[in-house]
Structure formats: C-alpha cells, structure tokens
Amino acid sequence: MTPSCRTAATPPVLLARTLAVLTLPTLILTTTPPSHAQAHPAAITAGGAVGTPPDVLPDPLYPTLGQPGLDVQHYDVRLTVPAPGTPDLRSDTTLTVRADRDLNDVRLDYSGPRVLNVTWNGQPVPYRHTTGQDATPDKLIIQRSLPEGQDARIRVTAAGPAGGVPDPTLNITLGWQSVPATPTQPGANFTFSEPDGTHSLIPCNDHPSDPATFTTTLTVPRGVTAVASGSRLADRAHLNGTHSVTFALTTPVPTYALGISVGTLDTVRRPDLGAAGQRITLTDYFPTSVPDAVRAPYARTGDILTALSGWFGPYPFSTYGSAVVTPDLPALETATLSTMPVRSSRERVIVHEVAHQWFGNAVPLASWTDTWLNEGFATYAELLWTQAQGQDAAPLLRSWRDRLRPGTRPLTATTRAQMFDATAYARGALALHALRTQVGDDAFRTFLHTYTRTRTGQPTRTEDLLHLTRTVLGPQAADLLNAWITQPDLP
Ligand code: TRP
Ligand code: ZN
C-alpha cells in the first residue's frame, strides 16, 4: 500500500503534517526506475528519486524538444557581449549531464551562435549541428554514448549572432533579445525565452521537465551592467576594458527561466528580507532612461514576497528583483530576476511574477500542456495580494469570469495557442478560488505549503495536483477541482 492510500482517510489538516514525514522515507526507500514513475503519474513521490526526472518526453505540444533520458544537472554559462544592443555573442557553456538510461548520443537543443568546438570530459568529441531550416529540429548532436547512471561534462564554445526561436502565437522571436542603441539610449540585451527560447542562446535540454542549476558569467564593456538569475558572486575588471560578473543559482529551475539582462542600468538595492531564518536580498535594475513613475511600484516587492510566503511557504531562492526592459513584451518570471517591460510595471504584474518563483520556477512543469499550473496560481496570487491589502476581491473575480465569457475549455491545453490563453490564467485562478471557498483558508494554506514543499524540483502534472488535493483536502475537494479541470464549460 502506498503512503497516499494509507493516508487518504486521515482528516485533511492532520494529514498535511504527516505528509512531509511520510514523503522523505518514501524517497529514500524508492528504487523504482524512471519508467515506473510514468506508470503512476499520480503518486506524490513519482519521479521523487533525487536527480531522476520522471519519464515525460516527448511533450505532446513540443515533440522535438529535449532528449528523453538526458538529465542536465548544471549549466556553467559564460557569455561575452562585446557590443550591447547587437546580437553578437561569444559563449562557452559547460553542461554537467547524466543519463537516466543508455544513450547512443547526446542531443541538445540549439539554434545559437556558430559552434566552434565541443569537448567531452575535456577531450574533443565529434558533433553535428542540424538547423531547423528544413523542418528538422535544431539539435547539437554529440556523437558519444553515455551509459545509464553515468555523468559527463560537455563543453561547447560558440561565436556569432544569437539565433532566435519564432513564437507564432506571441508574434515575437524568443530567446536573446537585442535592443539597439538610439541617439538617446544605449543598447541592451536580455533573455525572453518561455517556452523554448533558451536554446537560441546556449545548447540545452530545453524542456521544463529537466530543471537544473546555473552559474552565469557575463563579460561586458566597462560601464555596462550585467545581471543574471541567482546571487552575485564576483565582479572582476579586465585590462581590455571589460568586466566579468558571475551569478550562481543553486536551486534547479527550467531552462526558460534563465534570466539575463545587460545594459546601462541603475541598480536599486532594497532592504533585505529576513523571514524565518532566511535572508533574501532584493535588487531591482532599471534602464537609466526609465522615469520614477515606472520605478515606484517596485518598492512594494518586499511586502509582496512577505505576503505571498505566508500563503505559499518559504520563498525558494535567496535573492529576488526585477530587471525592467523597454520593449513591449509580456512580463516573464525569469528566476530570481523577473523580466518586467516598462508597460507591465504595475503592482499586480509584479505580484504575478513573484508568485511564479514558486509556481513554475521552483515547482516546474512536466509538460507544456499544464501551463495552467503556472498561470492559474500566479493569477490567483493577485487576489491573495488584493485581500492582503484589505481590498475587495470581487472585481477581480468578476474580471476573470468576464475574460472567459467568449468561451473556455478544460484546463489541460491541447494546442500551443491555448498555453497562455484566458483559460490558463483566469479559469485556473477561479478553480483555485473554488477550492479555497470549499475548504477554508487554513486548509487551503496548508495545501499550498504542502504542494510547494513536496513538488519543488519535481516536474509536476495536473494529476499530481489532483492527487495532492485528495490526500491533503479529501475526496470532495478533489472532485470539485477535477470538475474545474475537466468540464468543457465553467462548473
Ligand atoms: N509566463 C508569462 C507570465 O504570465 C507570460 C508569457 C511567457 C507568455 N511566454 C509567453 C504569454 C508566450 C504569451 C505567450 O508571466
Ligand atoms: Zn504568468
């Protein structure tokens, strides 16, 4: 009998406490191979063996992304940006990889600058770079086998203009963004990669089911500020007029969440947050041209983090901030360093991106069909913040229903166009509100804490959430949530 079956009859609130205790021993005792995890997608501990992602590829919406059986543990990214505002780059990326099954070769997603050299544990290795011109996927195929359970360090150097991954639904090119210099404004670059733009920059296993840690070193001209996801470690000046800044992100995140921003930026350090023995540094970055009215709402970031931690559990990283950018794009929850367009510099959007640090970054998707797990929670956070301010949530609830008036669908996306539609955001949020209304605030908070604690670093599906709902909140709550997930119309 699995722990989840045993605990199903336990009263919900009591259970939440025992769950943490149950989960850990289960992880240690579980010796099931990864393929077994797929047979039981609903088990809370599915894929729970540390470093062993559940076997989730190919993704129905992105069948060519990622390599089944490849587990990248760490990316050491070194980027030189010789002329900010242009797409020119030099890159030197080392991936620490591991095989979850015997691999005949390693196939990384890549459409970035031209490859100069590839080494495998320090030795040259044959490789082939296929490009997407004729509908073949962009892959850097490294012709070396990797037996199950073995590690390798793969180092790729490249130089030239960054690639770009077209996103037809958003009508932009994902990946490395270049903002050319104008007479009044110096050039800038930044990443905007969800869902699959990171492989326009570096070779990677570009799917959220394989989160990894990142070290990022950026070399830029003197006077240019360069920031990336993670905590800043060092800033070294070189004799040639450049400097190199290093950031370390020690909590695994999906590849699309790698954030980098380069430009002539003001750095605004806020007071540290010290919640429950945790120290969180807060730093925002604004292009020097950006006026105070745009900067003002970011002063609330610390309060937002504090309020959301109360609902979601401990903040999963040790630093946070926003990097404001000038182009018109959606905001993006790049890990520890949200990418915030000037046009989205509003409190509500800041709340939304902070919430994604838990939902999407710490708790990654197993499949792009389940974007509502990211967007529904991040949208619901907007209501939680509204109420924390002592404001009425009714207008927000009404606006979500209004957004769904033209039509809705079951929560699991079946096309790429649905991934970021109104249903993912507004119906996802309404589903969580319905659940909260049924079980009450205390049980709902316990449920959220349990979800973030048990799913951090674990690629997560809708079924995992439903299973947790049943375990923590009971079968009635799970039935309610299931109706919101599966019914064609709004329940
Ligand atoms: N995840 C982002 C947010 O809601 C939005 C986003 C990222 C997006 N990529 C996208 C929206 C592509 C539409 C299309 O915070
Ligand atoms: Zn979002």
Side-chain angles (χ1 to χ4, degrees), residues 167 169-172 174 192-195 256 330-333 339 349 352-353 356 368 374-375 378-379 416 419-421 425:
D167 187 307
T169 43
L170 196 57
N171 203 19
I172 63 157
L174 299 173
F192 188 95
S193 299
E194 191 183 18
Y256 71 82
L332 185 61
E333 64 266 26
T339 303
V349 185
H352 183 105
E353 306 313 327
H356 274 308
W368 283 117
N374 290 359
E375 302 308 340
T379 303
R416 291 188 191 186
M419 286 166 52
F420 301 102
D421 68 5
Y425 288 74

Side-chain angles (χ1 to χ4, degrees), residues 280-291:
I280 302 161
T281 61
L282 298 176
T283 318
D284 296 319
Y285 302 89
F286 303 100
T288 50
S289 61
V290 162

Side-chain angles (χ1 to χ4, degrees), residues 62 163-167 170 172-177 191-198 200 329 332:
Y62 288 87
V165 176
D167 187 307
L170 196 57
I172 63 157
T173 300
L174 299 173
W176 189 241
Q177 308 290 313
T191 52
F192 188 95
S193 299
E194 191 183 18
D196 64 337
T198 296
S200 77
L329 288 166
L332 185 61

Side-chain angles (χ1 to χ4, degrees), residues 444-464:
F444 186 64
R445 186 183 292 103
T446 300
F447 165 75
L448 292 172
H449 281 231
T450 309
Y451 180 63
T452 59
R453 192 179 60 242
T454 58
R455 300 310 306 184
T456 288
Q458 307 297 327
T460 296
R461 297 179 176 280
T462 297
E463 300 90 87
D464 299 315

